[in-house]
Amino acid sequence: MPHANEASVLHKQAASDHEAAAKQHLKAAECHDHNKVGDAKSSSKSAMDCCNTAQKNTKAACDCSAK
């Protein structure tokens, strides 16, 4: 059985990853608002990378809590 602390750490990491993704999405939106397509593309790539990491860490956190 996993320790509560392990689940807590995993959930906090997932939350942090989701926050990072949200920041990159907002940055991409701002770039689009200012017609900075290249910067928007870069921020979009970063957002996708953060989302992928967040998804993996979310699954790990939720699996840990379910045990």
Side-chain angles (χ1 to χ4, degrees):
M1 185 162 140
H3 296 278
N5 188 36
E6 179 185 3
S8 175
V9 168
L10 290 170
H11 281 289
K12 288 175 184 174
Q13 183 60 56
S16 177
D17 295 333
H18 283 289
E19 288 172 350
K23 287 178 184 178
Q24 289 301 321
H25 281 297
L26 289 171
K27 186 174 176 183
E30 289 175 11
C31 291
H32 279 296
D33 289 343
H34 293 97
N35 290 327
K36 296 180 179 178
V37 178
D39 291 343
K41 184 176 180 179
S42 177
S43 292
S44 294
K45 167 87 170 79
S46 294
M48 181 59 76
D49 291 344
C50 290
C51 284
N52 289 337
T53 299
Q55 177 62 29
K56 290 175 190 171
N57 287 333
T58 295
K59 181 170 180 359
C62 293
D63 286 349
C64 185
S65 289
K67 291 180 183 178

